[in-house]
Amino acid sequence: MFTVSLKRYICKSKSDKWPDKSIMLNKKFTLFCILFIGSVLQLYATHQRAAEITYEWINGLTYQVTITMYTYTPSPADDTRSTLPIIWGDNTSSDIPRVVFTALADNYTLNIYKMHHTFPAAGSYKISVEDPNRNLGLVNVPNSVNVPMFTETQLVINPFLGNNNSVTLLNPPIDQGCVGSIFVHNPAAFDPDGDSLSFKLVACRGLGGLEIPGFTLPLTSNIFAIDSITGDLVWDAPVLQGEYNIAFIVEEWRFGMRIGYVTRDMQIVIGACSNTAPVINCVNDTCVIAGETLNFQVSATDPDGNGVTLTANGGPFEGSQPAHINPDPAVGMPTATTNFIWETECDHIRKSPFVALFRARDANPIVSLTSLKSVSIKVIAPAVTFISAVALGDGANLDWEKSVCNNALGYKIYRRSGSSTFVPDPCQTGVSGASGYRFITQIQGINELQFRDDDNGAGLVQGISYCYVVTAYFQDGAESIISNELCVSLKRDLPVITHVSNDSLALSTGHVITAWSKPTELDTNQFPGPYFYKLIRYEGITGTNGVEVFTGTGLNDTLFTDPSVNLNSTGFPYVYAVRLESGSAGSIGSSQRASSIFLNIEPTDGKLILKWNPKVPWINDSVMIYRKTGVENSFSLVGKSKTNSYTDVNLTNEQLYCYYLKTVGGYSVSGIIHPIINYSQIACATPVDNIAPCPLKIGVTTDCEKVENLLHWNPLPDSCGNDVMKYLIYYKPNEQTDFTLIDSVFNSNDTTYLHREMDFTIGCYYMLAVDEPGNISLPSNTVCVDFDACPPYELPNVFTPNGDLYNDIFRPIGYPAANPKAIIESVKLTIFNRWGNIMFETTDPEINWDGKNSQTGSDCPAAVYFYTCEVYYLSLNQVKTIHLQGSVTIIR
């Protein structure tokens, strides 16, 4: 704004009507203006070198916002910029005051601005600052001295996600390197809330927050990239010396949602030097249990024999009970050595790891180079101690000790059938899916130390050994190390059902064989005999109206064949349960329900998809699939599955195939028959081609002379279109109309279609493929031809109507290849002579003027004539009008 005012009031232009002075005086004054403005730019514009905005939650909707800027020390603007205009993103702005103003080495000045701001409501706000201008001579920012510095930070206020503080970038946004040597920078990003972070490069921005015209990433011999996870910015390797500015954003993620970002616009100075950066040696990523001390050695050696200064920063060095290094800094020649020491506590526990960043800088007298090494440190919660798991009735009572970390919110309980042999990694927290454990409940409250598992009221199953582990969980979703494992089995005082099976000796009858294991721990004093079994049958998995189909006398009567049903002819499974009763004490209890294996078959092209999902209390380990065709007499094993589905492939369409399943499984306690084998019903189906061909990929080539469009496509691969019977072609002339079927191609080997006899070439196409059974593919891509598919409408500036049959007619340039009627609805052309008399008029896009006066029919004399022409182009959206005017010379 300051330079604009100088130009306006001091250096007036010619149009401002200067007093009539000599030319020499004007030239001298103009030179004075140029020199004066140049000095102003030097004083006030050569300024900004790096910047970023961060924020800290105070309370409610109030945040403290910090702008950190590095400026060019010799610039007087450093002294004058005691405030900066900041845009809050809520339609308000302020002047934010400077609180730190410190000169650093290499002509850098640190400027820090701070201010509290209260936002009006929850929402997303983009906080930004723009300040003129960047420093002079940036290699990758054209005319950098006249380009403002713009940086932006996003703040998301979401009460459902909790309060949020921005990431803090602990390493300064200024660095230096050598031509030809790899350069690495890491911002040492630390998020005090423990949110996950990601990094990505963005373009530097200038006036109005727009990307800077002509901005490029620095020239490199190999790569210039930022690691999205670690934040390592790698430039391998600089090619030209000079000053560069680049920008990247650090995004925060919580529960899978982005909750803000910080943009860093930083400066890198590359010198011509042969120095080599120090090499840092220390542990790689590690973990520590909260309450224990992490201690490891770090060393840095300079290959050139220079002295080395080794420092550290990052998340572990922030907050309560911070880490430290000893000595700090460590100095040596050519090696510096220090020890990292961190006495951790429960407050350090979080899901995301901390990153300790070690920085080694050499003492080269020309250009000092820096090396970085980041170490990811995960502070994990100690395991909860599981005290007891006791079976009682149809459930298990669990007890555990309170977590030693008082910041735990509660506990998570996991269960599996049978003991796990999975050995977790030492740094692993929570429960891995590979362990076989399944989450069953979450206990809120650190002092809640008991839970009864009865499978949400359904009751646990006799014959299963249930094993449990527990973890403590924390605010950000972190979990402790897995506890010790405890296992328990219910008392076997009820029958345990084992079989609900098609009769393997007579599968075609579909009769159901049921079997169960008798109780072995029945309290005969509480429930004296005689004893009776009652077998109850239900229709369907969720059947509620049970029918008693069998009564057995005595505990050893544990087998029954149900002849009243035929599994092969019903469209649903049957479910059975065994009830135990005492003749003197009444009902004792019931077994779990178990269903028959019901096989569903879904036909498709050359395949049959088999699916099943029995509801049984035991665990089926594998399923064997048997098949026969309609002409075969016996079944054969064709496959095995450990899931609840199987796809039988390479089948013949329209041929009948029949199947049955054999499941193999068992309970996890001893004393019950093992393995448990059951059979499904016999189910038959016929493969059919119900799969549509794949969508086509089409293109179009336009012939403007003939006003034709040639559609072309590649043949479909055999895997998805080997039985294509025809192609359907759809067309619409513009965006305002609907597609209509214009033709069909019945030869599946054709790969082109010529759309002839068109009024104009403008329009859009798509195609469908149809196979022999009539399956129709999804639409192909849509391709469109607009007016720009043909050459533009241009008129020649000379023609020779002398009867030699060459250039005798005034037509558009390129005719007939550039036939204007392919894209132009009409024209309004008027040709007149130098006195304004009309010689010729037409609406024909081809014009076809023979050089005669349309009023008299006589030849127009050789001369220059003038024209105006309104050209009405057709397009996909509307008729476009273009105005042409010019001259044409007749030569005879």
Side-chain angles (χ1 to χ4, degrees):
M1 294 298 291
F2 184 69
T3 57
V4 171
S5 65
L6 287 171
K7 291 178 182 177
R8 181 179 300 130
Y9 294 110
I10 297 178
C11 300
K12 291 189 175 183
S13 67
K14 184 176 181 181
S15 63
D16 291 323
K17 298 184 179 179
W18 284 97
D20 188 16
K21 303 291 183 181
S22 69
I23 295 175
M24 183 61 70
L25 179 59
N26 283 334
K27 287 183 177 179
K28 289 181 177 179
F29 192 84
T30 301
L31 178 60
F32 166 76
C33 290
I34 293 172
L35 293 175
F36 184 81
I37 292 171
S39 66
V40 169
L41 290 175
Q42 182 71 23
L43 291 176
Y44 289 94
T46 308
H47 184 56
Q48 293 290 355
R49 305 186 79 168
E52 66 207 29
I53 304 172
T54 55
Y55 54 83
E56 177 185 356
W57 177 73
I58 302 301
N59 57 61
L61 298 174
T62 300
Y63 291 77
Q64 177 174 271
V65 174
T66 301
I67 302 172
T68 303
M69 283 186 165
Y70 287 80
T71 54
Y72 182 61
T73 304
S75 171
D78 268 4
D79 298 323
T80 62
R81 302 299 276 167
S82 59
T83 64
L84 282 179
I86 186 169
I87 306 299
W88 297 111
D90 58 1
N91 297 319
T92 67
S93 61
S94 303
D95 286 332
I96 184 170
R98 183 166 60 189
V99 297
V100 173
F101 181 53
T102 303
L104 307 174
D106 301 322
N107 285 329
Y108 285 96
T109 297
L110 172 63
N111 303 259
I112 297 179
Y113 302 78
K114 287 183 180 288
M115 187 180 226
H116 284 201
H117 182 73
T118 301
F119 292 87
S124 178
Y125 301 95
K126 290 186 178 179
I127 308 167
S128 63
V129 63
E130 179 179 321
D131 189 46
N133 282 347
R134 296 173 184 267
N135 64 283
L136 179 70
L138 295 179
V139 177
N140 63 327
V141 178
N143 193 27
S144 60
V145 70
N146 290 320
V147 177
M149 169 73 74
F150 179 95
T151 190
E152 177 183 83
T153 286
Q154 184 191 49
L155 163 64
V156 176
I157 303 177
N158 186 333
F160 299 103
L161 295 177
N163 300 317
N164 185 43
N165 299 277
S166 78
V167 64
T168 301
L169 306 181
L170 302 175
N171 273 340
I174 51 176
D175 215 334
Q176 56 187 9
C178 289
V179 172
S181 297
I182 188 170
F183 168 86
V184 180
H185 171 83
N186 190 294
F190 169 68
D191 189 277
D193 306 313
D195 297 318
S196 297
L197 303 179
S198 64
F199 304 79
K200 65 180 180 183
L201 289 170
V202 294
C204 289
R205 293 198 276 171
L207 185 65
L210 299 176
E211 292 186 8
I212 299 171
F215 168 82
T216 60
L217 289 176
L219 187 63
T220 179
S221 59
N222 186 12
I223 62 169
F224 188 97
I226 193 168
D227 189 294
S228 62
I229 298 174
T230 66
D232 284 341
L233 176 70
V234 179
W235 185 356
D236 184 14
V239 175
L240 298 174
Q241 67 182 41
E243 295 181 1
Y244 299 82
N245 266 64
I246 61 97
F248 57 86
I249 65 173
V250 186
E251 299 172 296
E252 297 178 74
W253 302 86
R254 186 179 298 177
F255 306 123
M257 297 179 62
R258 190 174 79 169
I259 59 169
Y261 62 78
V262 169
T263 305
R264 162 166 280 190
D265 192 316
M266 69 170 292
Q267 188 167 99
I268 307 168
V269 179
I270 300 299
C273 47
S274 58
N275 190 19
T276 304
V279 177
I280 302 175
N281 293 294
C282 66
V283 299
N284 292 318
D285 300 345
T286 187
C287 65
V288 58
I289 297 175
E292 297 181 358
T293 298
L294 180 63
N295 190 329
F296 57 84
Q297 189 178 84
V298 185
S299 66
T301 301
D302 186 75
D304 303 319
N306 294 313
V308 177
T309 300
L310 180 60
T311 57
N313 59 15
F317 301 91
E318 303 293 320
S320 64
Q321 195 68 20
H324 64 280
I325 59 172
N326 185 24
D328 183 16
V331 179
M333 180 185 295
T335 299
T337 303
T338 190
N339 288 298
F340 173 87
I341 304 166
W342 193 11
E343 298 176 0
T344 62
E345 55 186 22
C346 288
D347 285 342
H348 295 142
I349 296 168
R350 67 182 201 182
K351 191 173 184 178
S352 299
F354 291 84
V355 176
L357 191 67
F358 297 96
R359 181 184 180 96
R361 183 182 180 95
D362 67 19
N364 186 281
I366 301 175
V367 176
S368 294
L369 294 184
T370 300
S371 289
L372 301 172
K373 181 175 177 61
S374 58
V375 177
S376 177
I377 304 171
K378 191 170 184 180
V379 181
I380 57 181
V384 175
T385 300
F386 222 152
I387 300 175
S388 65
V390 178
L392 185 63
D394 62 352
N397 293 340
L398 312 177
D399 295 88
W400 57 90
E401 291 183 355
K402 179 181 175 181
S403 172
V404 298
C405 290
N406 290 326
N407 55 333
L409 298 184
Y411 307 92
K412 291 185 177 183
I413 312 297
Y414 297 83
R415 182 184 70 201
R416 62 163 282 149
S417 173
S419 181
S420 173
T421 59
F422 178 78
V423 178
D425 182 90
C427 291
Q428 181 178 319
T429 58
V431 177
S432 168
S435 67
Y437 277 98
R438 181 175 61 88
F439 171 76
I440 59 171
T441 194
Q442 181 170 295
I443 309 296
Q444 294 187 357
I446 191 173
N447 295 314
E448 297 297 322
L449 305 176
Q450 295 179 333
F451 175 69
R452 175 170 172 79
D453 179 25
D454 60 0
D455 201 16
N456 294 317
L460 300 181
V461 177
Q462 291 186 342
I464 300 292
S465 174
Y466 292 98
C467 296
Y468 298 88
V469 292
V470 62
T471 64
Y473 71 90
F474 297 80
Q475 179 68 45
D476 66 345
E479 290 186 61
S480 69
I481 299 172
I482 191 172
S483 73
N484 55 308
E485 178 188 77
L486 290 179
C487 301
V488 64
S489 300
L490 296 187
K491 184 179 180 182
R492 284 188 53 196
D493 55 0
L494 290 173
V496 177
I497 195 164
T498 57
H499 293 80
V500 177
S501 173
N502 195 358
D503 188 347
S504 61
L505 299 179
L507 288 171
S508 60
T509 66
H511 295 163
V512 178
I513 294 179
T514 60
W516 53 94
S517 179
K518 70 179 183 180
T520 58
E521 299 176 82
L522 179 63
D523 188 340
T524 56
N525 293 323
Q526 183 180 1
F527 300 105
Y531 302 105
F532 304 94
Y533 293 120
K534 290 188 176 181
L535 185 65
I536 311 300
R537 184 183 69 212
Y538 304 86
E539 292 186 356
I541 295 293
T542 60
T544 56
N545 298 320
V547 177
E548 183 180 330
V549 295
F550 168 71
T551 300
T553 303
L555 293 177
N556 293 321
D557 195 355
T558 60
L559 182 67
F560 174 72
T561 299
D562 188 353
S564 62
V565 299
N566 184 350
L567 294 175
N568 300 325
S569 61
T570 58
F572 51 84
Y574 287 97
V575 175
Y576 292 82
V578 182
R579 186 184 303 156
L580 177 62
E581 295 188 355
S582 164
S584 56
S587 177
I588 300 174
S590 175
S591 73
Q592 293 284 326
R593 294 186 180 189
S595 73
S596 62
I597 312 157
F598 185 72
L599 174 59
N600 278 301
I601 304 179
E602 297 177 6
T604 187
D605 187 11
K607 303 175 185 177
L608 291 171
I609 302 172
L610 283 61
K611 295 182 178 180
W612 58 93
N613 190 25
K615 301 298 183 182
V616 296
W618 61 87
I619 298 172
N620 283 321
D621 301 314
S622 62
V623 179
M624 289 175 276
I625 298 95
Y626 294 83
R627 182 192 73 197
K628 73 170 185 175
T629 64
V631 297
E632 293 175 331
N633 294 322
S634 60
F635 287 87
S636 300
L637 178 66
V638 293
K640 295 181 180 181
S641 174
K642 290 186 176 294
T643 65
N644 288 337
S645 66
Y646 177 82
T647 301
D648 199 9
V649 298
N650 299 322
L651 305 181
T652 302
N653 288 342
E654 309 303 330
Q655 179 170 306
L656 183 68
Y657 294 88
C658 295
Y659 299 85
Y660 73 85
L661 307 177
K662 176 183 175 182
T663 64
V664 180
Y667 290 96
S668 56
V669 298
S670 59
I672 299 177
I673 186 173
H674 195 279
I676 295 175
I677 297 175
N678 285 274
Y679 294 84
S680 74
Q681 89 279 18
I682 296 174
C684 303
T686 300
V688 294
D689 184 356
N690 56 7
I691 297 179
C694 297
L696 293 163
K697 177 70 174 179
I698 68 172
V700 62
T701 302
T702 297
D703 188 326
C704 299
E705 177 180 356
K706 297 179 180 179
V707 192
E708 296 174 345
N709 287 326
L710 179 67
L711 295 179
H712 45 84
W713 59 92
N714 292 325
L716 292 174
D718 290 345
S719 60
C720 62
N722 60 349
D723 59 345
V724 171
M725 181 183 70
K726 63 180 178 180
Y727 302 107
L728 305 178
I729 300 159
Y730 290 81
Y731 168 78
K732 66 177 182 179
N734 53 58
E735 295 288 1
Q736 287 71 45
T737 58
D738 296 328
F739 280 101
T740 58
L741 178 66
I742 60 169
D743 210 342
S744 301
V745 177
F746 286 89
N747 187 348
S748 62
N749 294 321
D750 284 346
T751 57
T752 61
Y753 171 79
L754 184 61
H755 190 189
R756 296 188 177 95
E757 300 178 0
M758 306 179 68
D759 294 329
F760 305 95
T761 58
I762 312 299
C764 295
Y765 302 85
Y766 76 82
M767 293 178 59
L768 302 174
V770 184
D771 65 11
E772 293 180 0
N775 300 305
I776 301 176
S777 72
L778 292 173
S780 71
N781 59 304
T782 298
V783 293
C784 296
V785 178
D786 211 341
F787 69 90
D788 56 359
C790 292
Y793 193 76
E794 297 178 315
L795 300 181
N797 59 8
V798 65
F799 79 113
T800 59
N802 54 14
D804 65 357
L805 303 181
Y806 179 76
N807 201 26
D808 282 341
I809 304 297
F810 182 63
R811 294 191 181 100
I813 293 175
Y815 184 87
N819 183 358
K821 291 187 176 180
I823 56 173
I824 296 173
E825 184 181 62
S826 64
V827 301
K828 186 177 179 181
L829 174 72
T830 301
I831 300 177
F832 50 91
N833 63 14
R834 69 179 63 186
W835 296 282
N837 298 320
I838 296 176
M839 299 290 102
F840 179 77
E841 291 182 294
T842 187
T843 59
D844 182 0
E846 293 182 9
I847 303 176
N848 291 314
W849 184 37
D850 59 2
K852 295 181 182 296
N853 186 324
S854 61
Q855 305 295 324
T856 65
S858 60
D859 289 340
C860 294
V864 176
Y865 296 85
F866 304 92
Y867 64 82
T868 63
C869 184
E870 301 295 327
V871 184
Y872 300 97
Y873 281 89
L874 284 176
S875 74
L876 292 172
N877 294 315
Q878 60 186 357
V879 176
K880 298 180 180 292
T881 303
I882 298 176
H883 177 75
L884 301 177
Q885 65 183 33
S887 65
V888 56
T889 300
I890 292 180
I891 300 175
R892 292 187 181 277

